[in-house]
């Protein structure tokens, strides 16, 4: 199975880290290479531009691809979305000069909109029933209203800072995007693809979770159970050579700070908190 992943930019490192956490460490180096092997001999990685990944998957050059929802929608490939990988979050927004006359999408009837996403933009205005002239640009989209190339833009933003610096106000949200795992409909149910999907889901399930281990005297077990906010009941085991019990449980990271004190007060000792790489539910 070949996985297409971003070859550079802000999505590259998080994607490589995700693969490693899922148990697919890249071997033989990734710098300036088109292909790379992983620790699984049946899985290879194809490095490509994020915008090109949907086409690689649709054409069969890769079985699955990791890229932004915005890139897949713009490609028009109609791939199956298998997992939202929950990074690379951004918004595709409609914006116009903050000191101008345009404050509603309807005011762009018959006017010009510049964007790097002409397909998404065209579909957005068609759904709104607004007739606009879409101009495709390849960079510096936010400058086009100030040089009279366009009346408004549709562009990607994460924080809105770049828009604000260029005196542009958001009029409407066109699309919320994040990085997803995509596959062709005919390969989405392949065993190896399902295995990869499960691996990614287990990584996501482990995020913001912590594994707690502690020793508890038998007479304190009920009190300790009462303060554990775990995923289901805790695992309780005998401790060799001792009358104590070993209690293991998974808890939300945000609950760790308070629960540690509660556990100590309930009689737990030797409390150990560790991160979790993967959690298969």
């Amino acid at each position: 199975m070949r996985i297409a992943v971003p070859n550079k930019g802000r999505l590259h490192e998080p994607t490589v880290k995700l693969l490693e956490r899922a148990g697919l460490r890249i071997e033989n180096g990734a710098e300036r290479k088109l292909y790379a092997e992983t620790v699984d001999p049946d899985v290879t990685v194809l490095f490509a531009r994020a915008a090109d990944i949907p086409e690689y998957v649709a054409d069969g050059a890769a079985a699955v691809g990791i890229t932004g929802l915005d890139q897949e929608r713009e490609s028009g490939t109609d791939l199956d979305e298998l997992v939202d990988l929950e990074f690379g979050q951004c918004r595709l927004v409609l914006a116009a000069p903050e000191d101008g006359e345009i404050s509603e999408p309807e005011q762009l009837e018959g006017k010009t909109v510049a964007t790097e996403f002409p397909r998404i933009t065209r579909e957005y205005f068609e759904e709104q029933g607004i007739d606009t002239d879409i101009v495709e640009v390849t960079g510096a989209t936010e400058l086009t209203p100030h040089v009279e190339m366009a009346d408004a833009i549709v562009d990607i933003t994460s924080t809105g800072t770049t828009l604000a610096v260029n005196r542009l106000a958001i009029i409407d949200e066109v699309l919320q995007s994040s990085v997803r795992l995509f596959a062709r409909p005919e390969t989405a149910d392949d065993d190896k693809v399902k295995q990869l999907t499960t691996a990614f889901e287990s990584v996501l399930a482990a995020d913001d979770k912590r594994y707690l281990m502690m020793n508890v005297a038998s007479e304190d077990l009920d009190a300790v159970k009462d303060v554990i906010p775990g995923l289901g009941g805790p695992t309780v085991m005998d401790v060799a050579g001792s009358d104590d019990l070993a209690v293991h449980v998974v808890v939300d990271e945000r609950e760790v700070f308070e629960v540690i004190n509660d556990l100590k007060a309930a009689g737990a000792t030797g409390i150990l908190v560790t991160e979790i790489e993967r959690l298969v539910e």
Side-chain angles (χ1 to χ4, degrees):
M1 178 178 68
R2 186 175 295 154
I3 307 171
V5 306
N7 61 351
K8 59 183 179 180
R10 67 187 182 92
L11 302 184
H12 174 73
E13 289 298 331
T15 300
V16 171
K17 183 178 179 180
L18 175 67
L19 288 170
E20 291 177 348
R21 289 187 62 189
L24 288 172
R25 189 181 70 254
I26 295 173
E27 298 189 323
N28 303 324
E31 294 295 328
R32 298 185 178 87
K33 295 184 69 173
L34 181 60
Y35 296 104
E37 297 176 348
T38 71
V39 293
D40 185 332
D42 295 325
V43 179
T44 59
V45 169
L46 165 65
F47 294 103
R49 291 176 61 245
D52 294 336
I53 287 175
E55 287 293 343
Y56 277 105
V57 176
D59 293 342
V64 296
I66 298 174
T67 192
L69 176 63
D70 56 318
Q71 302 292 353
E72 195 279 331
R73 290 282 180 86
E74 182 60 28
S75 72
T77 49
D78 198 26
L79 301 174
D80 279 3
E81 178 187 320
L82 303 183
V83 187
D84 183 347
L85 300 175
E86 301 178 8
F87 67 90
Q89 288 90 349
C90 62
R91 296 185 298 154
L92 197 60
V93 298
L94 174 64
E98 58 186 17
D99 56 354
E101 299 178 352
I102 297 171
S103 59
E104 300 289 339
E106 293 77 10
Q107 294 174 297
L108 289 165
E109 177 75 30
K111 297 187 181 296
T112 302
V113 178
T115 183
E116 293 186 57
F117 299 87
R119 180 188 296 272
I120 295 175
T121 301
R122 190 172 296 109
E123 290 176 351
Y124 165 79
F125 281 110
E126 286 176 354
E127 290 174 0
Q128 300 273 343
I130 302 169
D131 184 20
T132 57
D133 181 21
I134 309 299
V135 175
E136 183 176 2
V137 295
T138 57
T141 308
E142 65 276 1
L143 298 180
T144 57
H146 300 300
V147 294
E148 300 182 352
M149 284 182 58
D151 299 290
I153 67 170
V154 170
D155 202 11
I156 287 289
T157 183
S158 295
T159 64
T161 301
T162 301
L163 294 176
V165 167
N166 286 279
R167 306 188 310 281
L168 296 171
I170 295 175
I171 297 173
D172 197 12
E173 182 175 276
V174 177
L175 177 72
Q176 285 192 355
S177 180
S178 61
V179 174
R180 320 283 172 98
L181 176 67
F182 294 101
R184 294 189 308 283
E186 59 269 28
T187 62
D189 290 330
D190 287 357
D191 288 343
K192 204 67 179 178
V193 174
K194 286 184 175 180
Q195 183 181 351
L196 179 66
T197 300
T198 298
F200 285 162
E201 288 175 339
S202 71
V203 171
L204 296 174
D207 281 343
D208 301 322
K209 299 290 190 298
R210 293 295 182 267
Y211 192 65
L212 270 60
M213 296 172 280
M214 67 204 79
N215 292 329
V216 179
S218 300
E219 62 270 19
D220 294 327
L221 181 59
D222 288 340
V224 166
K225 284 183 177 181
D226 286 342
V227 299
I228 290 177
L231 302 178
T235 299
V236 180
M237 299 167 286
D238 292 330
V239 177
S242 171
D243 293 331
D244 285 350
L245 301 170
V247 177
H248 295 195
V249 67
V250 176
V251 302
D252 288 334
E253 180 184 20
R254 64 179 180 273
E255 297 174 323
V256 170
F257 180 77
E258 290 189 4
V259 80
I260 293 297
N261 286 330
D262 292 341
L263 288 170
K264 288 179 63 179
T269 60
I271 303 170
L272 178 64
V273 182
T274 66
E275 294 184 352
I276 305 172
E277 283 297 315
R278 295 174 59 182
L279 177 62
V280 181
E281 298 181 297

